[in-house]
Amino acid sequence: MQVVETFGHYIEKWSETTPERARGLLKTGWEAQNLKLRLTPERELSSADQYLARLMMDTMLKPLKDPEHSILVSIFTPCELMQEVGLFPYNVEGFSCYLSGSKAERAFLQTAEDSGISETLCSYHKTFIGAAERGLLPRPRCIVYTSLACDANLLTFKELAALYDVPSFAIDIPAERNDANVAYVADQLRDLGIFLEKTTGKKIDDTSLRKRLARSRRTLENYDQFQKWRVDKYIPEDLVSPMYCGMTNNILLGTKEEELYTRRLLKGLNKAESAKGKRIYWMHTIPFWSEAVKEVFLLKESAQIVGCELAQVIDLEHHAEDPYEDMAMRLVYHSLNGSIIRRIDAGIRHAKETKADGVVWFNHWGCKHTLGGSQLAKKRFEAAGLPTLILDGDGCDRSHGGEGQTATRLGAFLEMLS
């Protein structure tokens, strides 16, 4: 742990005066971690989750190694079009998670606030903005983002487009679910295709895009099947694998690597032991750094996180043959689009599919959608027979931890379930 703290200290220190040096250290440190994941993986994790850790680390390193072929995206942006023109995702929330895991987030949060960014903005967005302002994070080829779920997107990506001086493209997602709005979003995605072709000089082949969308759908169906079939299985879980899955099931959707991950998940069920301990379904982001949360859930037989909302936000019931309409349907019928009731009902459905004993609704600081819906969520989850804990905290910023309260409330909740 001391090594990580020292590493984070120098990232923060050097980024203030010599950001290129800090970036080199960041890349070297993450490459060393990637090598460690390959040579000495966490043996208690399933082979699928060991693979997922390597896949996520590769995804984080690519923008540092080759920023010219990276595209800055919000987490729910459909990335199949980017893949078709040879760009790979450079994700704001993902990078902030990894900077926090490297214990280097605090200085960047402060930098963003000192430049005028509100303290109440999501800490994932503030961390990235601060790191970009210091020059730690490289300039992408371009930026694409959506209005979906997070109101911070509308500020963050405009700020970053001006800072990096690169072209950007915003996708507006209406709240109402109807054919007219699907057509409206599909037209925007066709325009996005033109934007990407002009930006890269490469053409998008419709036949190849259709195949990629078919792979996306198989991937989502595999994961949905895994969640339904894991009900009588014990699968050791850490606190980052559900978050990695929430990330890759969005930004890597359409890749062969993500489909392979979901196939490995299904294959691993054959070797899994019978279910044991309490099963918790987690709503929103997970504070993976929290010692109090680790004490309860990190590779524990007594309690496991059996699902995370962020990995299951795409509606599988609506599908179109046209690839642009298919991507548009994913956005319009997304469980985080529009009314909080949609999100709650999707959470209830997925929690019941895993036979969860209880639900944690995590009130991540700065997420107004989550904070505002928490009491209604508790009422509806418990009416559906799912005991629910509303847990306050921050998924990225340790200064909002409240470790004592977290330990007390989680302990009491699990005791109540028992």
Side-chain angles (χ1 to χ4, degrees), residues 177-202:
R177 301 177 175 187
N178 55 50
D179 292 344
N181 284 341
V182 169
Y184 168 67
V185 175
D187 285 342
Q188 292 181 74
L189 294 174
R190 291 185 183 96
D191 290 340
L192 173 59
I194 295 169
F195 168 84
L196 293 170
E197 288 178 338
K198 288 181 178 178
T199 301
T200 63
K202 297 182 179 179

Side-chain angles (χ1 to χ4, degrees), residues 7 11 14 19-29 31 136:
F7 177 72
I11 294 296
W14 290 349
E20 289 292 339
R21 186 184 184 193
R23 188 187 305 168
L25 177 61
L26 186 68
K27 182 168 75 72
T28 300
E31 285 174 334
L136 175 69

Side-chain angles (χ1 to χ4, degrees), residues 141-370:
R141 184 71 168 270
C142 56
I143 295 174
V144 176
Y145 62 99
T146 79
S147 63
L148 188 61
C150 183
D151 60 356
N153 289 347
L154 304 180
L155 181 151
T156 298
F157 290 95
K158 289 180 181 178
E159 184 89 5
L160 292 170
L163 178 67
Y164 285 124
D165 190 24
V166 295
S168 66
F169 190 99
I171 308 168
D172 175 48
I173 315 298
E176 293 301 316
R177 301 177 175 187
N178 55 50
D179 292 344
N181 284 341
V182 169
Y184 168 67
V185 175
D187 285 342
Q188 292 181 74
L189 294 174
R190 291 185 183 96
D191 290 340
L192 173 59
I194 295 169
F195 168 84
L196 293 170
E197 288 178 338
K198 288 181 178 178
T199 301
T200 63
K202 297 182 179 179
K203 285 291 184 181
I204 295 172
D205 180 79
D206 277 354
T207 300
S208 178
L209 182 60
R210 288 176 187 277
K211 290 179 180 178
R212 195 174 290 278
L213 265 294
R215 184 183 298 127
S216 294
R217 188 160 186 83
R218 290 195 303 270
T219 300
L220 293 170
E221 289 170 347
N222 286 346
Y223 188 76
D224 193 55
Q225 197 65 64
F226 166 75
Q227 285 296 99
K228 291 175 180 176
W229 286 356
R230 71 179 296 172
V231 293
D232 59 349
K233 303 291 185 181
Y234 166 64
I235 300 171
E237 288 286 5
D238 56 9
L239 301 182
V240 293
S241 294
M243 289 286 284
Y244 291 160
C245 188
M247 191 64 62
T248 60
N249 258 1
N250 287 286
I251 65 172
L252 295 187
L253 199 59
T255 66
K256 293 178 181 178
E257 291 81 3
E258 184 65 5
E259 185 182 18
L260 175 59
Y261 164 62
T262 59
R263 291 206 308 266
R264 286 191 175 200
L265 282 174
L266 291 170
K267 185 177 179 181
L269 289 172
N270 297 325
K271 301 177 182 178
E273 300 177 21
S274 298
K276 59 185 78 172
K278 294 301 174 184
R279 305 166 65 83
I280 302 298
Y281 195 85
W282 196 280
M283 297 294 289
H284 205 34
T285 186
I286 301 172
F288 61 88
W289 51 266
S290 167
E291 293 300 325
V293 179
K294 288 179 185 177
E295 182 63 29
V296 174
F297 293 117
L298 182 60
L299 299 171
K300 302 287 186 179
E301 292 187 1
S302 56
Q304 307 100 45
I305 295 173
V306 295
C308 177
E309 171 195 30
L310 297 180
Q312 293 184 278
V313 288
I314 295 174
D315 183 280
L316 293 181
E317 295 180 2
H318 295 82
H319 175 59
E321 292 304 317
D322 177 83
Y324 295 95
E325 289 183 8
D326 199 30
M327 288 183 286
M329 280 187 169
R330 285 197 339 230
L331 295 169
V332 173
Y333 287 88
H334 196 284
S335 65
L336 295 180
N337 185 38
S339 166
I340 190 70
I341 297 297
R342 298 176 187 169
R343 179 181 179 187
I344 294 169
D345 287 349
I348 291 171
R349 183 173 68 255
H350 293 140
K352 287 191 169 186
E353 285 174 352
T354 62
K355 292 190 177 177
D357 297 297
V359 172
V360 172
W361 180 280
F362 186 65
N363 271 343
H364 168 65
W365 171 259
C367 184
K368 301 176 184 65
H369 193 261
T370 304

